[in-house]
Amino acid sequence: MEKQDVTIAVNVEQKKSNAAWICGLIGFITSIPNSFCAFLCAGAATAASGISAGLNAEGNEFNETAANVAAEEAARGTSGLLWIVLIISIACFILSFMGKSKNSVVTGVLLILGALFILINGFVGLGSMLWGTATGALYLVSGIVSITNRNKA
């Protein structure tokens, strides 16, 4: 009997994962209660700063002018941050659907940056720590999956 050399070639084709857009969709759903909480916290902070400024004004009576000025300044500051968080959340939601595209690495990096911003805001900024962490973690996973999709068919 003669020995024969046999070569076996196996082609493994990996498909791009759908986890990026699934995590993005769930992340956007969790960002809705986070946004509501952020808006409520901003309103409470605005009211508290107005009341505090009115009570701390000189004199024995409540100073309505000082309260209004302080509340307006607090509202301007918090509304800017709220719009930034809302825009970043919507951008991450849109980017998560591009996790299977040819530019999935760029998409993944942008998703990770947005997720880090949402996570930091969830811990130290306005909004709920629970919902902010869930949203940021889901967008972070979506970004990582997008980056890993780059070499797949």
Side-chain angles (χ1 to χ4, degrees):
M1 230 185 232
E2 215 175 288
K3 243 184 171 185
Q4 294 181 344
D5 289 333
V6 177
T7 305
I8 299 174
V10 177
N11 286 337
V12 178
E13 291 186 24
Q14 295 179 338
K15 303 264 182 190
K16 291 188 177 188
S17 175
N18 289 327
W21 70 265
I22 294 170
C23 286
L25 181 64
I26 297 169
F28 185 72
I29 291 169
T30 61
S31 74
I32 294 170
N34 187 41
S35 298
F36 284 139
C37 184
F39 280 109
L40 289 174
C41 290
T46 301
S49 66
I51 292 170
S52 175
L55 292 175
N56 289 335
E58 294 179 18
N60 293 335
E61 295 181 11
F62 184 78
N63 189 341
E64 190 174 338
T65 306
N68 288 338
V69 169
E72 286 175 10
E73 289 176 6
R76 267 188 246 117
T78 55
S79 68
L81 178 64
L82 290 173
W83 281 111
I84 290 171
V85 171
L86 198 60
I87 288 170
I88 288 177
S89 182
I90 291 170
C92 285
F93 174 62
I94 292 168
L95 286 170
S96 67
F97 284 96
M98 296 168 35
K100 290 175 74 170
S101 68
K102 293 179 182 178
N103 298 328
S104 63
V105 174
V106 174
T107 301
V109 169
L110 290 174
L111 274 166
I112 289 172
L113 291 175
L116 291 176
F117 181 83
I118 292 171
L119 281 169
I120 290 169
N121 182 54
F123 282 110
V124 298
L126 296 171
S128 166
M129 185 181 286
L130 171 72
W131 293 111
T133 304
T135 302
L138 285 163
Y139 285 144
L140 187 66
V141 169
S142 180
I144 292 169
V145 169
S146 293
I147 291 173
T148 59
N149 273 343
R150 72 173 182 246
N151 294 331
K152 296 178 182 176

